Amino acid sequence: MRFMKWTIALLFTCAIASQAATQQTSPQEKEKKLKRSDLPAAVLKTVNQESQGATITGYSSETDDGQLVYEVEMRVRGHGRDVLIGADGSVLEIEMEVALDALPAAVKAGLLQLAGSGTITKVESLTKRGVLMAYEAQVRTGAKRSEIQVGPDGKPLAHPE
């Protein structure tokens, strides 16, 4: 009887710990959808500048490394463009969809080499604070999906951006 009580207590404790672990999310995962009217004035000014000629598809905010940031998703000439903006209105990061055939030869070759037998389904340039940092590609190999990155020179990155 005593063994059964301990077993039930142990199972109950494990169930609670498991539930708590699945409910915890990292700060980057707490994205909140917003309306244009929810944006601070400095962010809205940057949105207006960055979205000229684009169709805005959504706004959101999240906490990234303890900093509140805003993201505007848009389409420009049929390509996706996401702009990450600081609360002060500064542009922190831009991800712009790029056609594989429009990439510099070294970048295209580097991505194709890393993709191996997989199929590249989408490529984006990644610019941080005005500097092109990397190109990232989504790769599908059978049912598996993954992401690869190369630098502006087409060489694999030492660490992901």
Side-chain angles (χ1 to χ4, degrees), residues 91-110:
V91 175
L92 304 174
E93 183 176 301
I94 298 174
E95 288 184 353
M96 180 71 178
E97 191 175 344
V98 182
L100 185 62
D101 291 336
L103 295 172
V107 172
K108 182 178 178 180

Side-chain angles (χ1 to χ4, degrees), residues 2 4 7 20 26 30 46 51 65 136 139 145 158:
R2 184 177 226 176
M4 188 169 209
T7 304
S26 69
K30 294 184 180 184
T46 302
S51 65
D65 292 330
E136 60 186 23
V139 178
R145 296 180 188 273

Side-chain angles (χ1 to χ4, degrees), residues 120-140:
I120 294 176
T121 58
K122 181 179 179 181
V123 179
E124 293 179 319
S125 63
L126 179 60
T127 303
K128 291 186 177 185
R129 299 198 181 268
V131 177
L132 178 62
M133 302 297 289
Y135 289 93
E136 60 186 23
Q138 294 177 7
V139 178
R140 187 178 63 229

Side-chain angles (χ1 to χ4, degrees), residues 42-43 45-47 49-51 67 69-70 72 81-95 127-131:
V43 173
K45 180 179 177 185
T46 302
V47 166
Q49 292 169 348
E50 292 293 323
S51 65
Q67 177 184 6
V69 295
Y70 297 86
V72 58
R81 184 172 191 252
D82 299 340
V83 181
L84 198 63
I85 304 169
D88 63 353
S90 61
V91 175
L92 304 174
E93 183 176 301
I94 298 174
E95 288 184 353
T127 303
K128 291 186 177 185
R129 299 198 181 268
V131 177

